[in-house]
Amino acid sequence: EDKVVQSPLSLVVHEGDTVTLNCSYEVTNFRSLLWYKQEKKAPTFLFMLTSSGIEKKSGRLSSILDKKEPFSILNITATQTGDSAIYLCAVVGNTGKLIFGQGTTLQVKP
Amino acid sequence: EPEVTQTPSHQVTQMGQEVILRCVPISNHLYFYWYRQILGQKVEFLVSFYNNEISEKSEIFDDQFSVERPDGSNFTLKIRSTKLEDSAMYFCASSFDYEQYFGPGTRLTVT
């Protein structure tokens, strides 16, 4: 059965800290891995990763994929209170549907 | 920036009633999805839709559920006879390729 596992499940840091969120998966016919940020409601798209070793970057956020292990990490540097959210990792399998992990709840304290 | 929209934002219904959740996907997208998230749990896939037919459905998507794209812009999820366990946040998503964009969700409360 296809599975996506995120760690840690929750994390509390202070503003300015750097965090690393992890996502491992077992999926037949992997197509790509996506990261989302979920605040109050809908997951908002952050990154899509398809190839190993190529870092995607947007401001203070970056992500990389290792298809051999397989896992992905999401890094957030110089965290701000506005980064507080649930971060979701999802993998696209053979049929296009997303298989989600349980999410990492990040709380950034001032 | 184009976005997926959903209505209503919150729907309260009695057990056994029918509900229709509505979504307007991003206009040039080809693939449409419904997911749900029960409070405190993972986001779960319900159904995918492409070229006016269901391409895949999960075990959750039983005969009580149906989807339709009635007019080329709306995409609807119907639950024929709601149960208490259908209470959840329902998200519509659309994509052109693998990047799926989510709507704000409809919170369905079945009493």
Side-chain angles (χ1 to χ4, degrees):
Chain A
E1 188 187 328
D2 294 339
K3 196 165 61 169
V4 178
V5 177
Q6 292 185 244
S7 64
L9 292 182
S10 66
L11 197 49
V12 181
V13 299
H14 287 94
E15 271 192 316
D17 288 350
T18 292
V19 297
T20 298
L21 310 182
N22 303 293
C23 176
S24 63
Y25 60 90
E26 289 173 31
V27 172
T28 47
N29 296 311
F30 171 88
R31 299 293 175 94
S32 62
L33 184 145
L34 288 79
W35 283 97
Y36 290 88
K37 179 181 182 183
Q38 186 176 28
E39 293 175 272
K40 295 272 191 303
K41 284 190 177 177
T44 52
F45 174 80
L46 294 173
F47 297 113
M48 184 174 81
L49 302 144
T50 306
S51 303
S52 278
I54 297 173
E55 187 184 50
K56 292 272 181 106
K57 204 165 161 60
S58 174
R60 297 175 294 102
L61 275 66
S62 63
S63 185
I64 198 158
L65 175 68
D66 181 335
K67 285 161 82 171
K68 260 192 179 174
E69 284 299 317
F71 75 92
S72 174
I73 59 171
L74 175 69
N75 277 319
I76 309 174
T77 58
T79 50
Q80 301 169 356
T81 54
D83 295 326
S84 296
I86 300 172
Y87 290 84
L88 300 173
C89 172
V91 174
V92 182
N94 196 30
T95 57
K97 72 180 184 195
L98 291 177
I99 303 146
F100 280 89
Q102 64 274 63
T104 293
T105 302
L106 173 66
Q107 185 186 357
V108 182
K109 292 187 168 182
Chain B
E1 192 176 317
E3 57 184 21
V4 178
T5 59
Q6 288 184 244
T7 53
S9 56
H10 191 192
Q11 171 101 44
V12 182
T13 190
Q14 287 193 325
M15 208 164 51
Q17 295 296 304
E18 175 182 286
V19 294
I20 297 175
L21 311 184
R22 292 185 164 79
C23 168
V24 179
I26 294 172
S27 63
N28 66 335
H29 283 184
L30 304 174
Y31 302 89
F32 312 109
Y33 306 85
W34 283 101
Y35 293 86
R36 78 170 186 193
Q37 187 174 32
I38 294 170
L39 192 64
Q41 295 186 25
K42 286 188 195 188
V43 177
E44 302 173 284
F45 168 78
L46 291 177
V47 66
S48 56
F49 194 85
Y50 169 71
N51 205 23
N52 282 320
E53 59 184 33
I54 290 174
S55 20
E56 186 182 1
K57 54 187 182 180
S58 72
E59 288 170 2
I60 302 164
F61 195 90
D62 62 21
D63 292 342
Q64 295 300 315
F65 291 86
S66 61
V67 288
E68 213 176 34
R69 192 156 154 79
D71 56 14
S73 61
N74 289 285
F75 180 48
T76 61
L77 174 70
K78 186 195 289 189
I79 310 174
R80 259 180 276 283
S81 177
T82 49
K83 306 187 203 71
L84 293 175
E85 54 265 37
D86 294 328
S87 294
M89 195 75 163
Y90 287 80
F91 293 111
C92 171
S94 70
S95 70
F96 187 77
D97 49 26
Y98 295 137
E99 284 182 26
Q100 292 184 27
Y101 292 87
F102 283 73
T106 293
R107 178 162 297 288
L108 176 65
T109 303
V110 183
T111 60

